[in-house]
Amino acid sequence: MNRRKQVEQFAKMAAYMLGRRPDEFGLVPDDSGYVAIKEFIKAVSELEGWRHIRVSHVTEIPLMLDRPPVETDNERIRAADRSLLPRPLPCPDPPRLLYVCVSLKSYPIVATDGIRPTFYPRVISTPDADLARQWGKRRDNNPVNLVIQTALAVEKGLRFDRLGENIFLSDAIPPGCFTGPPLPKETVTEKKEKKVDAIDQYIRQSQAGSFFLTPPSHAPPSKFSRKDKDASWKQNKKRLRRDKKQFWPDDEKG
């Protein structure tokens, strides 16, 4: 297959993804139909036979084709024909359960503050748990899968919009409206304590082999009292006198 034919096939697939079924690939076009090229490439790289696609392949489309089916604008891409592009529509009766994945690092915060938009203006969820995990791996190799209880969310006044068949959009999901696995044992507080312990360890190591001029306040009391020291000094003085008489008798005579 020549190079031009390969570009045509890639452009045709891109037009389908961006102009007909973006929800099938976890993509949410903006009001003008654009998607970030980086997000588009992440979706394409999940497809068998297209994992080699890079930004250069996207920029090559308008250079190789006379009437390209996609349009690029700096770091964005969209389908040239958007007549069949699905638009978000209100969904008053969403599926009972929706799934969304978050990164393992952000999960403790999400569990406390709720699910909030990150890379898109709204939270993206899907009724397919496998799709949610696949899309979540674009951010984290081991994402945390959360289950949204839509009935609880609707009771709290949340609104869901449906995009195509696979995507449901919401402004946020508050705590209590979703479930997830137990939080990791290592919390933020424990991490801070570990840092403090590391600092203490460094101080101890840096002081190894050194000594203090002032003895520590918790030093044990001396074994001998002052009275014992005075008595010992007097005994030593008497002994020195006896030794002097024994070894230098001439001095006594003189």
Side-chain angles (χ1 to χ4, degrees):
M1 185 184 299
N2 60 38
R3 184 63 181 166
R4 184 181 181 84
K5 194 67 175 177
Q6 291 177 340
V7 174
E8 287 178 351
Q9 285 191 351
F10 174 51
K12 184 177 180 180
M13 182 188 67
Y16 172 80
M17 294 175 63
L18 298 168
R20 294 193 178 188
R21 290 299 308 276
D23 62 290
E24 186 178 337
F25 306 94
L27 299 173
V28 180
D30 62 16
D31 294 339
S32 300
Y34 280 108
V35 168
I37 290 179
K38 288 184 178 180
E39 295 300 314
F40 170 69
I41 290 176
K42 288 178 182 179
V44 173
S45 63
E46 295 171 353
L47 305 176
E48 191 68 33
W50 297 100
R51 293 174 182 169
H52 63 284
I53 294 298
R54 299 292 183 268
V55 176
S56 59
H57 295 92
V58 175
T59 57
E60 193 177 24
I61 294 175
L63 300 176
M64 295 284 292
L65 304 180
D66 297 331
R67 299 181 63 183
V70 294
E71 302 170 350
T72 58
D73 175 23
N74 294 326
E75 298 179 351
R76 303 184 301 169
I77 185 172
R78 70 178 180 181
D81 180 8
R82 298 180 296 281
S83 59
L84 299 178
L85 178 64
R87 300 291 181 179
L89 298 174
C91 182
D93 187 23
R96 186 173 64 88
L97 300 178
L98 292 174
Y99 301 90
V100 62
C101 283
V102 298
S103 66
L104 183 62
K105 183 179 180 180
S106 66
Y107 181 41
I109 299 175
V110 170
T112 303
D113 299 340
I115 308 172
R116 301 187 180 278
T118 51
F119 298 93
Y120 286 95
R122 305 182 71 189
V123 175
I124 300 175
S125 56
T126 176
D128 190 324
D130 293 334
L131 273 182
R133 184 164 185 82
Q134 177 181 322
W135 300 344
K137 284 187 175 182
R138 297 175 187 175
R139 319 293 178 194
D140 191 321
N141 289 330
N142 189 27
V144 179
N145 194 20
L146 305 179
V147 183
I148 301 172
Q149 313 285 337
T150 57
L152 296 176
V154 171
E155 285 180 3
K156 292 190 176 183
L158 268 73
R159 187 191 74 181
F160 288 91
D161 291 339
R162 185 167 191 165
L163 177 66
E165 297 180 10
N166 296 319
I167 288 180
F168 288 81
L169 304 172
S170 55
D171 294 333
I173 306 295
C177 296
F178 62 90
T179 58
L183 286 170
K185 293 182 180 180
E186 187 179 40
T187 61
V188 176
T189 304
E190 290 174 348
K191 287 184 178 180
K192 289 182 179 179
E193 290 177 354
K194 282 188 176 182
K195 288 183 179 180
V196 173
D197 293 341
I199 294 173
D200 290 342
Q201 183 179 1
Y202 171 77
I203 293 174
R204 288 196 297 269
Q205 290 176 350
S206 64
Q207 293 175 348
S210 61
F211 62 91
F212 298 94
L213 296 177
T214 304
S217 58
H218 59 273
S222 176
K223 199 172 193 180
F224 302 99
S225 64
R226 183 175 181 83
K227 186 182 294 185
D228 294 335
K229 289 182 180 179
D230 293 341
S232 176
W233 179 81
K234 290 179 180 180
Q235 291 176 358
N236 290 337
K237 188 175 181 182
K238 290 179 180 180
R239 190 181 72 248
L240 289 173
R241 286 179 179 176
R242 288 197 302 269
D243 293 342
K244 186 176 180 182
K245 290 180 180 180
Q246 182 177 357
F247 293 104
W248 290 280
D250 295 339
D251 292 343
E252 293 290 335
K253 294 178 181 180

